[in-house]
């Protein structure tokens, strides 16, 4: 599969493609497909490379837009990156300098906020644009800011920018989150790694991507205890050194591919997976009637004609991930009965509902709960992607809808999936990317 050079070109040019994905529904998916490396593990690891000058080789790196955007963001700071092959990224931070993380870039990808901690740690000052909202609502960064203040930084907001200073360097502190935050936990881990003294983080995020970041920091010479638990202790070290690492598998891509099998009554084996990262998702797929076979690196899912109705509530890891909520809504829209989906992480992450209804789904939203009445079948129609996981949900629904479904604005999809349509086609789906 050729590198997603369009994504690289568009990211470099700052443009977006208006491609569409067209699907002829009704095919039962069968076969074997590989899952790629984790987008949400790669982004913080790229930011962590800012902590130590040198060269880094990262492998199993997905070839998708958000990674290209983060590489472009690092370029603002004099950091070069190259892909000697599709899923390998070489990062060189030997000529790194401090600069500003500009609104034009940060607004396109909220994860840009990950540069805040490393900049403060390296230079004692940072100027990072506030990210703004996203398709489904506000995305605050107050926990990131509180974390940096706990490490001794002085923060002010100036014309939409976070202006952070730690003239005497960062020092260890005690942080306790009232809500679990993946990004804030990652940012604080990176800032604390070279802060003077000990940092404790209570109610830290336990997502595999944060565990992977912590292990990457360990490989750079950081001292971190409690990795994978909600209580992290960081003993600051004077400096870190570069490291190489493979990215962990993308559990959300794996979950999306498994739902593709489940929604079409298919029989698909996904390889290159870490099933231990998918416990809650696999439990819910079984509850919805699928049978699973797992090995250390694979999951095979065989599905009945139609899924059973179930109830899903999203939670921080190891609970059911909010990033699988939209995909499950597509699945349950054709279940044999009524299901409920509650999103406790983002109360308004339901922009995919109106588009699923265009395909014939019967969904009612009250607050942060969606009541999904399964229907016999969906019917293909033109629909519009509104965000990354909504795009995937619409494509999944198109796999089972009668006739043709045309999903527009798939630049959302390209942010977080590496040629998803090609992977689905390799399993027998009639799907193609169309450039209008
Ligand atoms: C990460 O976003 C993921 N992104 C998201 O995946 C994922 O949906 C989210 O975690 C939850 O699992 C990346 O890893 C790049 P949070 P993040 O901080 O870190 C609130 C995808 O599809 N909050 O864990 O931004 C926040 O509003 C993306 O790949 C604050 O109130 O999420 C939310 O309700 C979409 N203040 C909750 O915490 C803050 O300062 C969890 O957010 C930060 C967050």
């Amino acid at each position: 599969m050729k590198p997603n050079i369009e994504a690289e070109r568009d990211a470099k040019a700052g443009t977006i493609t208006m491609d569409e994905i067209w699907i002829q529904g009704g095919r039962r998916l069968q076969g074997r497909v590989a899952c790629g490396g984790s987008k949400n593990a790669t982004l913080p690891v790229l930011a962590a490379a800012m902590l130590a000058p040198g060269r880094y080789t990262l492998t199993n790196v997905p070839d998708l837009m958000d990674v290209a955007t983060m590489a472009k963001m690092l370029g603002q700071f004099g950091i070069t990156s190259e892909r000697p092959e599709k899923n390998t990224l070489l990062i060189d931070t030997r000529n790194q300098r401090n600069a500003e993380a500009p609104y034009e870039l940060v607004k396109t990808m909220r994860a840009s906020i990950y540069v805040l901690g490393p900049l403060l740690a390296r230079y004692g000052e940072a100027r990072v644009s506030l990210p703004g909202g996203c398709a489904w609502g506000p995305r605050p960064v107050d926990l990131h800011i509180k974390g940096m203040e706990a490490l001794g930084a002085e923060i002010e907001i100036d014309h939409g920018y976070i202006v952070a200073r730690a003239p005497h360097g960062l020092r260890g502190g005690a942080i306790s989150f009232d809500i679990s935050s993946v990004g804030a936990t990652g940012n604080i881990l990176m800032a604390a790694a070279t802060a003077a003294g000990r940092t404790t983080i209570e109610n830290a995020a336990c997502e595999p991507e944060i565990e992977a970041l912590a292990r990457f920091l360990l490989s750079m010479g950081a001292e971190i205890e409690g990795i994978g638990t909600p209580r992290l202790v960081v003993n600051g070290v004077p400096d870190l050194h570069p490291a190489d690492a493979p990215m962990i598998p993308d559990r959300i891509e794996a979950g999306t591919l498994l739902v593709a099998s489940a929604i079409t009554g298919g029989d698909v084996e996904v390889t290159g997976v870490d099933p231990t990262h998918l416990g809650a998702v696999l439990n819910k797929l079984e509850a919805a009637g699928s049978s699973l076979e797992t090995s250390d690196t694979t999951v095979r899912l065989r599905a009945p004609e139609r899924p059973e109705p179930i109830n899903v509530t999203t939670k921080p890891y190891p609970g059911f991930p909010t990033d699988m909520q939209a995909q499950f809504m597509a699945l349950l829209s054709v279940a044999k009965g009524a299901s409920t989906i509650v999103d406790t992480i983002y109360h308004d992450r339901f922009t995919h509902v109106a588009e699923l209804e265009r395909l014939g789904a019967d969904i009612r939203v009250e607050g942060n709960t969606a009541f999904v009445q399964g229907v016999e079948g969906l019917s293909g129609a033109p629909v519009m992607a509104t965000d990354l996981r909504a795009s995937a949900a619409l494509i999944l629904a198109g796999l089972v809808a009668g006739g043709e479904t045309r999903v527009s604005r798939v630049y959302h999809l390209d942010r977080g999936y590496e040629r998803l349509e090609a992977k689905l086609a390799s399993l027998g789906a009639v799907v193609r990317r169309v450039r209008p």
Side-chain angles (χ1 to χ4, degrees), residues 39-40 110 139-143 181-183 323 345-346 389:
K39 163 179 88 80
N40 290 350
R110 169 186 163 75
R139 297 284 295 277
V141 291
D142 57 311
L143 300 177
S181 165
V182 171
D323 290 351
I345 309 289
Y346 298 110
R389 305 305 173 182

Side-chain angles (χ1 to χ4, degrees), residues 38-111:
S38 166
K39 163 179 88 80
N40 290 350
T42 301
L43 299 177
V45 162
L46 287 176
M50 300 174 81
L51 290 167
R55 302 175 72 182
Y56 301 71
T57 300
L58 306 178
T59 54
N60 199 31
V61 175
D63 178 17
L64 40 83
M65 184 70 91
D66 271 8
V67 173
T69 302
M70 192 56 141
K72 187 174 178 184
M73 172 62 78
L74 296 184
Q76 301 286 326
F77 303 95
I79 296 169
T80 57
S81 57
E82 57 177 304
R83 274 187 192 269
E85 54 192 42
K86 188 163 71 75
N87 295 119
T88 297
L89 203 54
L90 304 181
I91 305 291
D92 187 340
T93 63
R94 287 177 293 178
N95 298 316
Q96 182 178 326
R97 62 181 184 278
N98 199 357
E100 172 184 288
Y103 175 61
E104 293 64 38
L105 258 183
V106 175
K107 74 179 176 183
T108 67
M109 185 181 66
R110 169 186 163 75

